[in-house]
Amino acid sequence: MNDTVSRDEAGRDKQDGDDIAALAKGGRTNFLGFFLRLAARIPFLFIAGRAAAYGPAALGRFASALVIIELTAMVCTMGEKRGLAQRMSEAEGKELPANTVFDGVAVSLLASCAAALFFWFVPAPMFPGGTYTQIDRLMVIAIPPLALTEIWLAALAYRLQISPTVWSRAIVEPWTISIMAGLMIFVAPESGLSLAYIASIFAAAITAFVPFIRAYGRPRGWRPRVGVMRRLAVRSMPIALADTIEWGTRRVDVLLLGFLAPPSAVGVYYAAQQVASLPQKLKTSFEPVLGPVITRALKRKDYGAIARQVSQVGFWIMAAQAAIALSLGITGEGVMGLIGREFVGGTGALALLLAAEVVASTAVVSEAALIYVHRVRNLGVSLATIGFQAVLTFAGILLMQHLGYNSLFQAAAAAGALFIALGLASVVKAKMLAKFLGHPINNWRWPLLWAAAPAVAIGFVFTQYLPEWVELAIGIPAILGSYLFVIWKKAFGPEDRKLFQKTKSD
């Protein structure tokens, strides 16, 4: 009997090690995508911020419409971005995988087409200022491909195929919008950003669809099943809402600013948000693989493994996000100045947004498990979070207006509200998950502070005593280098180093 127990424990340890290795591989692949996305996103912000045809006001109008488009597409995925992994796991050996995916595709396509039609006839929510062209209204056609792309990539991630996500999201989409934004200056300057966005979404969708069809093939014997689709929509609604709310916490501030502040302030804030969202993409580096790994561990009822995986990935994300936050936050004035002189006033908002992404890491990884074990409670916490954030944002903007501060201070108040709301959500969700699993969830390690100290000191020297071009070209790598050196020496153990070790399966 003892031999049997030992073999079971050895099997679980091996499975846990394999899961950590799979998470590391997926994160490593998408981590490359992060840097590729960074390289592609900067040209778009530079063109949108400095080109005479665009500027902060045009970027602000574009951002307001983008919030509605992407929010709607997120709802129309019907929770399949993360819920698909559980459905695929349950349907293994019972149904053709392509048929399982196409159930979700059919529901999403119907919902997204209906939403696109609605916003075509009622465009006012997308353009709070009332200024738009007929071409701008065409942005609604991006809703269906945007929603379907998420499902195709989720299906590929279930089979641990992460490279299509990198190609679609980190290479094709950002480079297409950057190149098209530049070309549209000479073709349709008034609607150039809208056309560039539409082109990027369709290009990303094609890039995701081709490998999906190669991996899964066409469905066989599949037909729309109204009963199945209805049950899928009802069952997936808590996950869909959780996905939407998690995404919405990064957009409700833009939405409220669009109604309360001038378009130029929205444009500056959106630019800061785009820079700050780069470390947020590190979270998505692990998300496609974390879902399947957690659902398989739940099937085995191996709750200790889930706690270790969530804590492990949470630390990786927090450490990486802190590195990016320090390097971009300390040199914030120079970074925002690259986009345009009018954007330098958004440095305060940038610093708070970067800090918000660091404190959000615990909530993000905890939610990756909560959506499978406590989806309704998790949804309740998410609703409370976005409601609290909206109230704080609204109150902060009105307070800044009452005190006579300009619109850039109002933008900083919105960023501060996000920081507070996400920090509280991290504490609550980590405790909720720990109680269910019976194991603690802890992403924090004290060496993070030790690593931050030399990075701040180096950053102070570069920002105070050296020219701006030196600060950006040499200062940012120096800040990152000092931080990563200390983290590697003082915080990374054998499990952490798997993130940088290639395996045979790679």
Side-chain angles (χ1 to χ4, degrees):
M1 184 175 178
N2 289 336
D3 290 342
T4 302
V5 172
S6 298
R7 284 196 298 270
D8 289 344
E9 290 178 352
R12 282 196 296 269
D13 290 342
K14 183 179 183 301
Q15 182 63 55
D16 191 21
D18 291 344
D19 287 343
I20 292 291
L23 288 168
K25 179 186 174 183
R28 186 164 56 248
T29 304
N30 257 330
F31 195 75
L32 171 64
F34 158 74
F35 288 103
L36 294 172
R37 192 181 184 101
L38 171 62
R41 183 60 69 181
I42 288 175
F44 171 72
L45 293 175
F46 185 85
I47 293 167
R50 288 183 175 264
Y54 303 139
L59 190 58
R61 289 190 292 272
F62 169 74
S64 295
L66 199 62
V67 168
I68 300 298
I69 295 294
E70 295 189 345
L71 176 63
T72 304
M74 185 62 69
V75 174
C76 292
T77 62
M78 307 307 292
E80 290 291 88
K81 182 178 178 181
R82 289 189 285 187
L84 182 63
Q86 188 173 29
R87 290 206 305 115
M88 295 288 286
S89 179
E90 292 172 353
E92 279 183 358
K94 302 176 184 177
E95 188 177 37
L96 193 69
N99 291 7
T100 304
V101 178
F102 266 80
D103 286 334
V105 167
V107 175
S108 178
L109 186 61
L110 286 172
S112 57
C113 287
L117 278 173
F118 172 79
F119 284 114
W120 171 259
F121 291 109
V122 188
M126 294 194 301
F127 307 100
T131 303
Y132 60 90
T133 67
Q134 292 303 308
I135 295 178
D136 290 335
R137 290 176 67 184
L138 283 173
M139 285 181 72
V140 298
I141 67 174
I143 295 175
L146 188 56
L148 296 180
T149 299
E150 295 290 354
I151 298 175
W152 296 328
L153 293 177
L156 289 164
Y158 182 76
R159 294 188 171 180
L160 303 183
Q161 296 182 28
I162 308 302
S163 57
T165 300
V166 175
W167 275 99
S168 178
R169 293 297 189 214
I171 300 175
V172 173
E173 182 184 322
W175 276 112
T176 300
I177 195 172
S178 295
I179 293 169
M180 291 299 293
L183 293 176
M184 289 301 106
I185 293 174
F186 309 101
V187 179
E190 290 185 356
S191 304
L193 297 180
S194 300
L195 288 171
Y197 176 72
I198 294 168
S200 71
I201 294 303
F202 275 89
I206 294 169
T207 307
F209 179 71
V210 171
F212 165 74
I213 285 294
R214 286 176 180 168
Y216 284 85
R218 292 178 298 176
R220 293 196 295 271
W222 180 88
R223 58 184 177 81
R225 297 171 290 178
V226 177
V228 171
M229 293 165 65
R230 183 175 62 250
R231 287 194 298 273
L232 188 156
V234 172
R235 178 184 175 183
S236 300
M237 194 51 63
I239 299 179
L241 289 174
D243 282 344
T244 304
I245 291 166
E246 193 271 334
W247 180 91
T249 54
R250 273 53 167 211
R251 296 295 186 275
V252 70
D253 39 12
V254 176
L255 188 65
L256 289 174
L257 278 171
F259 284 99
L260 298 174
S264 58
V266 181
V268 171
Y269 187 83
Y270 175 75
Q273 193 181 64
Q274 288 297 293
V275 175
S277 70
L278 292 169
Q280 183 195 353
K281 300 299 183 291
L282 294 170
K283 177 263 294 185
T284 62
S285 297
F286 298 94
E287 193 174 69
V289 187
L290 191 56
V293 166
I294 288 173
T295 55
R296 287 166 185 148
L298 281 171
K299 206 170 183 179
R300 304 191 306 268
K301 294 188 177 180
D302 193 350
Y303 298 142
I306 296 172
R308 288 190 295 275
Q309 290 154 6
V310 168
S311 297
Q312 181 71 69
V313 172
F315 170 69
W316 283 341
I317 293 173
M318 180 179 283
Q321 287 180 329
I324 304 299
L326 284 168
S327 59
L328 297 181
I330 293 171
T331 61
E333 286 191 10
V335 171
M336 294 299 289
L338 280 176
I339 304 170
R341 286 179 298 178
E342 306 96 326
F343 292 83
V344 175
T347 304
L350 173 63
L352 287 168
L353 289 170
L354 288 166
E357 294 302 336
V358 177
V359 300
S361 58
T362 304
V364 164
V365 292
S366 297
E367 184 175 75
L370 284 171
I371 59 170
Y372 302 116
V373 299
H374 272 320
R375 62 179 65 185
V376 176
R377 290 186 188 178
N378 175 69
L379 177 59
V381 175
S382 297
L383 284 169
T385 300
I386 197 169
F388 181 58
Q389 181 199 352
V391 170
L392 278 182
T393 302
F394 190 75
I397 293 172
L398 292 183
L399 179 62
M400 292 297 107
Q401 291 177 346
H402 177 72
L403 295 175
Y405 289 102
N406 64 32
S407 57
L408 295 178
F409 280 91
Q410 297 167 33
L418 177 65
F419 173 80
I420 295 170
L422 292 182
L424 289 174
S426 287
V427 174
V428 173
K429 292 193 175 186
K431 288 186 176 296
M432 187 188 303
L433 181 60
K435 184 177 180 180
F436 173 82
L437 297 176
H439 297 272
I441 303 298
N442 183 23
N443 304 337
W444 174 258
R445 297 183 195 176
W446 286 105
L448 288 169
L449 284 183
W450 307 342
V456 170
I458 291 172
F460 177 80
V461 171
F462 274 93
T463 55
Q464 296 297 315
Y465 301 108
L466 294 169
E468 190 172 276
W469 70 268
V470 177
E471 170 191 331
L472 296 176
I474 303 176
I476 290 178
I479 293 169
L480 277 173
S482 66
Y483 174 90
L484 294 175
F485 177 78
V486 177
I487 283 290
W488 181 263
K489 290 292 186 182
K490 298 295 184 183
F492 269 40
E495 292 292 338
D496 301 303
R497 290 189 168 92
K498 285 184 179 180
L499 186 61
F500 301 95
Q501 295 169 357
K502 292 183 72 65
T503 62
K504 289 181 180 180
S505 63
D506 284 11

